[in-house]
Amino acid sequence: MSLRKFDGSNLNFYKEKMHDYLIVKGQIAPIEYENVAEGYKPNEWTKMDWIVHATIRMNLFESIYYMVQSCMTTFELWKALSNTYEKKVPATKIYLI
């Protein structure tokens, strides 16, 4: 299974594809939990976090990769991508209010 590299456009599509890919691999937890998820030993969590972190970074265009390279955890990386590239449309803002 190959994933299209994220180029800064259509983050929602990229996130859905990456989410599905990580579910298939059994590695979804690091994007959903900031700290060690229940049922994981700290060393297991760290290893999975590194794997998912690397998987996401390998599927980013170079300019985006460099922008998020300082993110140390998968959760932090995922949040940085969302904060930077998720479109905030007026309807969404109204719904949130």
Side-chain angles (χ1 to χ4, degrees):
M1 176 182 208
S2 66
L3 295 170
R4 184 186 71 165
K5 287 189 173 193
F6 178 61
D7 63 2
S9 63
N10 201 353
L11 179 65
N12 291 332
F13 179 73
Y14 173 79
K15 285 175 72 174
E16 286 295 319
K17 294 294 283 185
M18 183 59 72
H19 192 266
D20 293 345
Y21 179 78
L22 294 171
I23 287 172
V24 169
K25 301 289 276 178
Q27 300 171 332
I28 193 65
I31 66 170
E32 295 180 340
Y33 298 97
E34 188 169 6
N35 299 307
V36 179
E38 189 176 321
Y40 291 94
K41 294 177 183 173
N43 60 335
E44 293 172 335
W45 179 261
T46 299
K47 182 178 179 182
M48 183 172 26
D49 188 61
W50 288 345
I51 291 168
V52 175
H53 191 264
T55 300
I56 293 170
R57 287 181 13 161
M58 288 184 333
N59 286 284
L60 299 174
F61 268 78
E62 187 175 342
S63 59
I64 297 168
Y65 178 95
Y66 288 122
M67 188 199 76
V68 297
Q69 77 181 35
S70 64
C71 296
M72 300 305 289
T73 67
T74 301
F75 189 85
E76 183 182 353
L77 171 62
W78 202 246
K79 187 175 178 180
L81 289 172
S82 293
N83 289 342
T84 305
Y85 293 101
E86 219 158 44
K87 292 186 179 180
K88 309 291 190 251
V89 294
T92 303
K93 289 180 183 178
I94 291 170
Y95 175 77
L96 291 174
I97 291 172

